[in-house]
Amino acid sequence: MKTKGALLRENNTPWVIEEIEIGDPKAHEVKIRMEAAGMCHSDHHLVTGGIPMAGFPILGGHEGAGVIEQVGEGVTDFEVGDHVVLSFIPSCGKCPSCKSGLANLCDFGAMLLQGEAVSDNTFRIHTAAGENVYPMTLLGTFAPYMVVHEASVVKIDKDIPFEVAALCGCGVPTGYGSSVRSGDVRPGEDVAIVGVGGVGTAALQGAVISGARNVFAIDPVPWKREQALKFGATAAFASVEEAAMKIAEVTYGHMCHKVIVTVGEVHGKDVDTWMGITAKAGTCVLTGMGNMLDSEVTLNLAMLTLLQKNLQGSIFGGANPKLDIPLLLSMYRAGKLNIEDMITRQYRLEQINEGYQDMLDGRNIRGVIRYTEEDW
Ligand SMILES: NC(=O)c1ccc[n+]([C@@H]2O[C@H](COP(=O)([O-])OP(=O)(O)OC[C@H]3O[C@@H](n4cnc5c(N)ncnc54)[C@H](O)[C@@H]3O)[C@@H](O)[C@H]2O)c1
Ligand SMILES: [Zn+2]
Ligand SMILES: [Zn+2]
């Protein structure tokens, strides 16, 4: 079918809305009419080249929710009309990672930046001129229709608003999980969240829900710090340097049991600064991303060894998409997780560049693209 999508034709250029052609669902694939797509910072890494896809043009978007419109051969878990979240992490349920309970490390993940559908290694999306289109993380939620593998799809209850559900494809489980799963925050612990955007605000809520004693929010944008205090942070600071003295005072020099790093652009030179506010035997969870080719890190090895600290990477917050997405949405429904207030503004697909500028200017916790009849 013919539809449209936000494409990136080369690095450091704006998103352009172009006509695209999406193929029918093949075996184990479903076609989805999109309702909402979240604007995560990771798609901006496609623009800068920090996350390199295998080719151009790229169809952006890896956070979204919609309605199943067609199912391919062999699909038994979904039927037409089901409401679903698109998870940027596929989970096949069959590979060693999935079977050992590490679904966020599913073997399909190796294909996330390849552009080809995992079902048969062919391209499902093409431009009007017939070029192959590379969808972000096997999805491409910046289009009103998608054809994706069932491993990337999670069924949800029909009463959940789509814009709330969309955030559970990446930002909410990644942030919440970074605190609760990868960080294993325990009651009474002191936690710092470095960078309180979309992912960081979910991490902040995860730390609060886990019973953290102090939750220090660190972000250079004053409005973000104000929001963080509303979401339960006990103090907010403009930089790690500014926070360090205060954290030392409040924790009697112990510093933070857990430090969750969710800044928009991670640089290796900053790692030692984050480890500096991490307590003895504490854990610094690195969730934010920078350039994927960056391998230079500044880290005091003696402090790492002698103070027995942990530096922990985290993809999708260590969460299990098929288990945690419905769980987080049930927590939202129970009033335990505030996803609604994380959505600062909704946009039309055509406003995507404005939306990303708002993110870069620090005006949004999360911007969401909302699709309507005009798009379908
Ligand atoms: N590991 C994963 O699975 C995963 C998943 C999603 C997103 N990410 C990454 O997480 C990061 C955050 O994503 P997001 O969508 O929340 O981005 P965002 O732009 O909404 O939030 C980033 C926040 O960091 C703040 N910030 C920037 N520099 C800072 C600094 N030096 N110190 C403290 N705060 C700083 C910004 O003001 C902003 O509030 C991105 O790098 C993104 O690519 C990783
Ligand atoms: Zn994301
Ligand atoms: Zn798997």
Side-chain angles (χ1 to χ4, degrees):
M1 72 172 292
K2 280 191 187 359
T3 182
K4 60 183 175 181
L7 300 190
L8 187 70
R9 288 204 164 263
E10 54 182 301
N11 292 134
N12 301 309
T13 57
W15 294 97
V16 276
I17 309 303
E18 282 191 37
E19 183 183 298
I20 52 173
E21 176 84 32
I22 298 191
D24 286 333
K26 296 197 179 175
H28 297 289
E29 292 182 343
V30 295
K31 179 171 162 185
I32 293 155
R33 193 192 75 230
M34 292 298 293
E35 289 277 349
M39 298 169 76
C40 176
H41 201 113
S42 297
D43 292 291
H44 185 67
H45 294 315
L46 297 172
V47 176
T48 61
I51 296 181
M53 295 283 300
F56 287 101
I58 296 168
L59 171 63
H62 64 280
E63 200 179 79
V67 180
I68 301 263
E69 206 170 79
Q70 198 183 334
V71 298
E73 199 186 307
V75 173
T76 52
D77 289 355
F78 302 100
E79 56 189 52
V80 173
D82 280 350
H83 290 200
V84 293
V85 164
L86 284 315
S87 167
F88 95 87
I89 290 291
S91 46
C92 71
K94 299 185 178 102
C95 73
S97 297
C98 282
K99 282 186 172 157
S100 65
L102 295 169
N104 62 321
L105 296 175
C106 174
D107 284 358
F108 277 172
M111 296 291 288
L112 284 185
L113 305 179
Q114 292 305 309
E116 299 157 8
V118 287
S119 338
D120 64 355
N121 293 90
T122 62
F123 284 84
R124 203 63 74 246
I125 313 168
H126 296 91
T127 62
E131 303 151 280
N132 290 331
V133 173
Y134 296 74
M136 172 64 155
T137 66
L138 305 170
L139 298 178
T141 60
F142 296 162
Y145 286 95
M146 296 172 53
V147 168
V148 297
H149 194 274
E150 59 185 343
S152 302
V153 185
V154 181
K155 191 166 161 175
I156 59 165
D157 290 335
K158 290 190 173 165
D159 62 321
I160 304 287
F162 286 109
E163 61 278 8
V164 165
L167 267 60
C168 286
C170 176
V172 168
T174 299
Y176 177 89
S178 295
S179 287
V180 176
R181 303 243 185 272
S182 301
D184 192 23
V185 172
R186 298 295 176 99
E189 290 189 338
D190 296 321
V191 180
I193 312 290
V194 191
V196 278
V199 177
T201 302
L204 166 51
Q205 295 197 63
V208 171
I209 290 168
S210 297
R213 176 174 53 184
N214 292 293
V215 183
F216 307 104
I218 302 171
D219 200 294
V221 178
W223 179 77
K224 295 282 177 79
R225 299 200 292 277
E226 268 170 43
Q227 297 306 303
L229 293 169
K230 286 188 195 160
F231 278 97
T234 52
F237 307 95
S239 66
V240 174
E241 291 74 17
E242 188 191 314
M245 285 299 288
K246 193 67 189 172
I247 293 175
E249 193 183 312
V250 173
T251 64
Y252 302 100
H254 184 263
M255 310 310 277
C256 297
H257 299 84
K258 308 287 159 61
V259 175
I260 317 293
V261 179
T262 45
V263 301
E265 176 88 34
V266 163
H267 299 285
K269 67 176 173 44
D270 295 328
V271 170
D272 206 48
T273 322
W274 300 324
M275 290 296 269
I277 55 169
T278 307
K280 285 185 284 189
T283 298
C284 177
V285 178
L286 212 49
T287 300
M289 291 189 59
N291 191 309
M292 277 179 65
L293 301 179
D294 192 2
S295 56
E296 304 266 315
V297 175
T298 303
L299 182 62
N300 185 303
L301 297 175
M303 289 301 138
L304 181 79
T305 302
L306 301 177
L307 299 184
Q308 217 170 288
K309 296 186 185 185
N310 305 287
L311 184 55
Q312 173 70 53
S314 180
I315 181 159
F316 203 70
N320 173 339
K322 304 243 177 195
L323 180 77
D324 283 308
I325 291 173
L327 173 68
L328 290 165
L329 287 171
S330 72
M331 288 171 68
Y332 155 79
R333 191 199 278 117
K336 306 285 183 195
L337 192 63
N338 183 353
I339 302 179
E340 242 145 35
D341 290 340
M342 290 176 60
I343 302 166
T344 313
R345 199 180 148 194
Q346 300 193 29
Y347 302 84
R348 301 285 319 275
L349 181 63
E350 284 71 15
Q351 294 174 293
I352 183 166
N353 291 303
E354 188 185 338
Y356 269 106
Q357 196 55 53
D358 285 342
M359 181 196 81
L360 293 171
D361 292 343
R363 281 194 286 269
N364 285 351
I365 295 179
R366 202 46 131 213
V368 170
I369 292 168
R370 201 67 169 88
Y371 297 102
T372 67
E373 275 168 9
E374 287 178 50
D375 302 299
W376 299 317

